[in-house]
Amino acid sequence: AVRWVWYPRLVNHYTFEDMDTSSDPNGVTTDIVSGYNASMKSNDVGSDVPVREPNVLAELTGSTYSLKFDNPNDGGDPNVVDTQYAQVAEPYAGSYADMTISAWVYWNGGGNWQRIVDYGNDTNYYMFLSANTSGENGIVRLAVKDGSEQSVSAPTGSLPIGEWTLVTATLEGDTGKVFINGEWVATSTSLTSNAVDYGPTTNNWIGRSQWSGDAYFNGLLDDLKIYNYARTTDQVAGDYMTVSNAAYVCDSENYDLAYDYNDDCIIDLSDVVIFIDRWLDGYRIYAD
């Protein structure tokens, strides 16, 4: 009999600051917490693989490089298709009941169903965090499939093109949440499947989907972290503020600020002035 010993912790952390080519000419980058190192790969007829890129978020302490996936899906790749990704060989990577996936993402647009991470065995067993569902709509989705897929999706346009954005997804019990730049944007209480139920896994990919028709991730990733527990709303907000130096993150999950007219996440005199200015404005359409 096998028993799991669990305690809440940061399990994986990819800073993408190193690229070792001694064991693999394509390069291997380090998981600085557990050693679940990621190998650079291409599913192409050529050898084009992700590379380190000195385009990083300036506020990200100690960051000199990010990992660039050049997969524009525009027909310009001389090797026919754009299929750069990274692979984690550890068979239990991502096999957790609860989890948090967090990454700074610089998305360059492109094809449908791009993945930030997708860990699983095939199209029946996986968990993924998607950067785009279809049509460059910027919908971030967390999904788990153990027979049937269950998911939670951020609103359209949540992930902008060409802008560093902190993308975070959590799963606790049956509740999945998505956060953008530390702010809650979506919740589902219908995620009853757990990635730990179908481990071990063989296709643990960064930037690639289990589905062959999906596009590969096009853009840059930095500071990719996976926890084996769900971080709280306050912790996720703190993760963003620590790096970005933002003064606050709006608590959209717990408060619906219907009278926050100037969108500064507080109802104050400025909103009262706007309200008074609109007082008795004609918003009605009358019958003829």
Side-chain angles (χ1 to χ4, degrees):
V2 176
R3 296 291 182 266
W4 290 84
V5 177
W6 172 89
Y7 64 96
R9 67 187 182 100
L10 172 64
V11 183
N12 312 114
H13 186 186
Y14 300 92
T15 63
F16 303 122
E17 290 301 301
D18 68 308
M19 191 65 70
D20 179 20
T21 57
S22 61
S23 59
D24 184 339
N26 287 335
V28 177
T29 192
T30 305
D31 166 17
I32 64 174
V33 175
S34 298
Y36 294 0
N37 299 341
S39 301
M40 303 303 104
K41 300 287 186 179
S42 175
N43 199 29
D44 207 338
V45 295
S47 59
D48 51 325
V49 297
V51 297
R52 290 190 302 167
E53 166 74 36
N55 175 0
V56 296
L57 184 72
E59 294 85 356
L60 195 58
T61 303
S63 181
T64 306
Y65 296 100
S66 57
L67 190 62
K68 181 179 181 180
F69 299 78
D70 189 18
N71 297 312
N73 198 36
D74 61 0
D77 188 336
N79 295 317
V80 183
V81 289
D82 303 296
T83 57
Q84 298 180 6
Y85 68 102
Q87 179 163 1
V88 178
E90 167 58 44
Y92 286 98
S95 294
Y96 316 121
D98 297 339
M99 70 179 70
T100 299
I101 305 171
S102 175
W104 284 94
V105 180
Y106 191 97
W107 182 46
N108 284 328
N112 300 336
W113 293 105
Q114 296 179 37
R115 300 292 202 264
I116 297 172
V117 297
D118 191 333
Y119 289 4
N121 283 315
D122 48 40
T123 57
N124 290 312
Y125 302 97
Y126 56 72
M127 72 88 178
F128 73 68
L129 182 61
S130 173
N132 181 50
T133 57
S134 62
E136 289 190 343
N137 56 21
I139 293 178
V140 175
R141 174 176 292 184
L142 172 68
V144 181
K145 186 174 183 180
D146 184 6
S148 61
E149 183 179 297
Q150 301 158 345
S151 65
V152 54
S153 297
T156 298
S158 294
L159 183 62
I161 295 176
E163 180 180 327
W164 278 110
T165 304
L166 180 61
V167 175
T168 308
T170 66
L171 177 62
E172 183 174 31
D174 297 344
T175 301
K177 299 179 181 180
V178 178
F179 302 81
I180 300 295
N181 285 338
E183 183 176 349
W184 169 88
V185 294
T187 293
S188 172
T189 57
S190 301
L191 278 76
T192 59
S193 295
N194 295 311
V196 70
D197 295 336
Y198 57 75
T201 52
T202 55
N203 300 335
N204 301 322
W205 294 327
I206 302 172
R208 178 182 175 182
S209 167
Q210 305 293 328
W211 299 83
S212 61
D214 291 347
Y216 288 64
F217 178 74
N218 184 40
L220 301 100
L221 298 178
D222 209 345
D223 211 38
L224 171 61
K225 298 177 180 179
I226 301 178
Y227 302 78
N228 66 354
Y229 68 95
R231 289 177 68 75
T232 66
T233 299
D234 287 351
Q235 287 174 326
V236 173
D239 293 340
Y240 174 71
M241 289 186 287
T242 298
V243 173
S244 68
N245 296 317
Y248 64 86
V249 169
C250 194
D251 189 1
S252 301
E253 181 179 19
N254 295 308
Y255 298 99
D256 179 12
L257 300 182
Y259 299 101
D260 180 20
Y261 294 111
N262 58 3
D263 295 323
D264 65 353
C265 202
I266 189 171
I267 300 174
D268 58 10
L269 187 59
S270 298
D271 299 294
V272 174
V273 170
I274 296 172
F275 179 78
I276 293 173
D277 184 58
R278 295 177 180 177
W279 184 256
L280 295 182
D281 274 356
Y283 298 112
R284 298 177 178 179
I285 297 175
Y286 290 96
D288 291 336

